[in-house]
Amino acid sequence: QVQLVESGGGLVQPGGSLTLSCAASGFSFSQYAVSWYRQAPGHERQLVASIGRRGTTDYAEYVKGRFTISRDNAKNTVTLQMNALKPEDTAVYYCNLPYTRHTWGQGTQVTVSS
């Protein structure tokens, strides 16, 4: 069965950095694109970044130049490196399969505050 587990969130000051990890299991990881999403209180869940089967990346406008998504197929993981964090980045971050959407997990909380 498909499992996607997020980790790496925490509290950071504006301008700081965090690295999030998505650990996948239960499916052929290398055959699927993986995306990071986030949801802040009172807001809809939004797409942050995606990485395709061959490593093609795509980012939301508000994170371009600050966030980097990558994958390690040997370890079945997807990483989101977040730099120059802003208070507006505060949200619960989730990973999922954009084309075959799995049940949302618990996500990992990212809080950016001075």
Side-chain angles (χ1 to χ4, degrees), residues 1-6 21-30 32 34 71-78 95-97 100 102-103:
Q1 52 187 328
V2 174
Q3 286 195 320
L4 297 165
V5 181
E6 304 91 345
S21 180
C22 174
S25 62
F27 64 100
S28 298
F29 179 76
S30 64
Y32 291 84
V34 182
R71 68 189 298 159
D72 186 337
N73 288 342
K75 297 194 293 186
N76 284 11
T77 60
V78 173
C95 60
N96 215 322
L97 310 178
T100 55
H102 185 62
T103 302

Side-chain angles (χ1 to χ4, degrees), residues 12 35 67:
V12 66
S35 297
F67 291 10

